[in-house]
Amino acid sequence: MHTQLLGIDWGSSNRRAYLVRRDGKCLARHADDQGMLAVGGDFAGALASLRERMGVAPGVAVVMSGMVGSASGWQEVPYLDTNVPLTGLPAHLAGVAGHPGCFIVPGYCTRDGAVDVMRGEETQLLGAVGRGLLDGWVVLPGTHSKWVYLRAGKVDQLVTYMTGELFSMLAAGGTLAALMAGALDDDSAFAAGLQEARRARALSNALFGARARVVSKTMAAAQARSFVSGLLIGAEFVAAQGHADGAIDIIGSPLLAAHYERAAAHFGMPARVHDPDDVYLAALAYFFESV
C-alpha cells in the first residue's frame, strides 16, 4: 500500500508537482518551466531530476496529467469518451512502458456534434467533483480556455476557446503587436473590450477595431493590451451565453481567474473561484488505490 504519491501536472510549457501523503497532506510542491516543449523528449530524465530536487524516493508512485499523455508527450494515451464519470479516471490510468510505478491520466473527447478534447483539465475537474462540484458550468482559463458542463459528475459538454494562444500570438507579431507592449492592468480598457465583444459581429473585425481606436486617437496605445484581453475573454462569454446563462465556477491562477471573474460580473453571471492547486490536490486522493 502506497503511503505517498507524486502528482505532476505536465503541460506544454510548465510543470507543477505535488508530493502528497495518503491522508491528503501535501509534503512538498514544485513548479517550473520544464514543460513538454522544454524537455526535448527526455521525460524520464526530467522526472528523475524532479524526484531528486523534491527529495522523492524511487519507490513513490507517479501520476501525471496533461500534455505528457499527448502524441508529442512521453506516451500517447487515448482519450476517454464522456460516458466515463470523472471518478472513473483512476480505473483508466495508463502505465508508462518500461517505467513501473509511473502512470498517465487520460483526457476526454466529445464526439456528439462538435468534436472537442482536453488533457490535464480532467484531473482538476476530478478534484472539483471531490470537493462537491457535481453539476454546472466550470471554466478553466488558460492557453486553451475550457468551458465544461458537469452533470452528475460527468463531462456533459466541452467547449474550447484558443483565447490565451490568440492573445500571445497577437502580442508577439502582426498589426497589433506594437500596440500591445504595455502593461495588462487598465480596468477601463478591459471593460471596454468586454463591451465591444457584446457588439461585435465578427471577432476579426473587432480586433482590427483596437488598432482603429488607437490611430484615430479614440483610445491611448497604452490601453490596447487590456482592451484586446477584454475583447478575447468577452468573446468567450458572448459565445457561452447561448448555453450558459447562470452561475459558473472558475478554476484558474489568481491573475486569470480575476479577469474571468470580472468578465462574468459584466455578463451577469455569478462566479465562484477555485484555486487550481487545491482542486489538483483533491484529485490526487482518488489515485492511491489504482497505482
Side-chain angles (χ1 to χ4, degrees), residues 216-281:
S216 67
K217 312 300 183 184
T218 305
M219 180 176 73
Q223 295 181 300
R225 187 176 181 88
S226 293
F227 178 84
V228 172
S229 174
L231 179 59
L232 290 174
I233 292 174
E236 286 187 37
F237 281 83
V238 169
Q241 283 190 313
H243 48 254
D245 297 321
I248 61 172
D249 287 86
I250 301 169
I251 301 174
S253 64
L255 179 61
L256 270 180
H259 281 93
Y260 276 73
E261 193 174 17
R262 286 195 60 211
H266 180 91
F267 285 89
M269 301 171 71
R272 293 175 296 188
V273 175
H274 305 264
D275 184 87
D277 284 348
D278 290 345
V279 294
Y280 199 88
L281 288 169

Side-chain angles (χ1 to χ4, degrees), residues 32-91:
D32 58 31
D33 60 358
Q34 294 302 295
M36 177 187 71
L37 299 177
V39 301
D42 185 16
F43 288 92
L47 175 59
S49 297
L50 178 65
R51 280 185 182 272
E52 183 178 359
R53 189 177 300 121
M54 294 181 69
V56 179
V60 173
V62 181
V63 171
M64 300 170 283
S65 62
M67 294 304 289
V68 66
S70 71
S72 302
W74 192 347
Q75 176 178 301
E76 185 173 11
V77 177
Y79 292 104
L80 296 176
D81 289 328
T82 53
N83 60 354
V84 177
L86 286 156
T87 53
L89 281 171

Side-chain angles (χ1 to χ4, degrees), residues 4-267:
Q4 295 182 8
L5 178 68
L6 178 62
I8 306 175
D9 182 2
W10 210 328
S12 295
S13 302
N14 300 298
R15 180 178 62 174
R16 294 181 299 155
Y18 313 81
L19 179 64
V20 296
R21 207 164 59 191
R22 181 175 281 271
D23 63 5
K25 180 178 177 59
C26 184
L27 303 174
R29 63 182 71 198
H30 175 81
D32 58 31
D33 60 358
Q34 294 302 295
M36 177 187 71
L37 299 177
V39 301
D42 185 16
F43 288 92
L47 175 59
S49 297
L50 178 65
R51 280 185 182 272
E52 183 178 359
R53 189 177 300 121
M54 294 181 69
V56 179
V60 173
V62 181
V63 171
M64 300 170 283
S65 62
M67 294 304 289
V68 66
S70 71
S72 302
W74 192 347
Q75 176 178 301
E76 185 173 11
V77 177
Y79 292 104
L80 296 176
D81 289 328
T82 53
N83 60 354
V84 177
L86 286 156
T87 53
L89 281 171
H92 294 272
L93 290 177
V96 178
H99 296 273
C102 293
F103 302 88
I104 298 176
V105 184
Y108 278 101
C109 178
T110 59
R111 296 180 173 87
D112 296 334
V115 177
D116 213 325
V117 297
M118 66 177 169
R119 284 196 191 275
E121 294 86 0
E122 76 293 319
T123 306
Q124 292 182 319
L125 290 169
L126 171 59
V129 167
R131 292 162 62 90
L133 181 56
L134 301 175
D135 298 278
W137 282 100
V138 183
V139 181
L140 302 99
T143 302
H144 297 153
S145 180
K146 307 288 183 181
W147 287 63
V148 182
Y149 188 75
L150 297 180
R151 190 186 302 276
K154 288 185 177 182
V155 175
D156 186 71
Q157 297 180 57
L158 167 62
V159 185
T160 302
Y161 300 92
M162 295 176 64
T163 302
E165 183 173 353
L166 279 174
F167 184 83
S168 296
M169 292 172 66
L170 290 167
T175 300
L176 300 180
L179 305 179
M180 292 175 64
L184 186 63
D185 59 0
D186 191 304
D187 289 344
S188 63
F190 182 80
L194 294 175
Q195 188 59 32
E196 184 62 22
R198 283 183 181 272
R199 290 193 293 262
R201 288 183 292 180
L203 181 58
S204 59
N205 173 250
L207 284 168
F208 185 80
R211 171 175 166 77
R213 285 169 180 249
V214 173
V215 298
S216 67
K217 312 300 183 184
T218 305
M219 180 176 73
Q223 295 181 300
R225 187 176 181 88
S226 293
F227 178 84
V228 172
S229 174
L231 179 59
L232 290 174
I233 292 174
E236 286 187 37
F237 281 83
V238 169
Q241 283 190 313
H243 48 254
D245 297 321
I248 61 172
D249 287 86
I250 301 169
I251 301 174
S253 64
L255 179 61
L256 270 180
H259 281 93
Y260 276 73
E261 193 174 17
R262 286 195 60 211
H266 180 91
F267 285 89

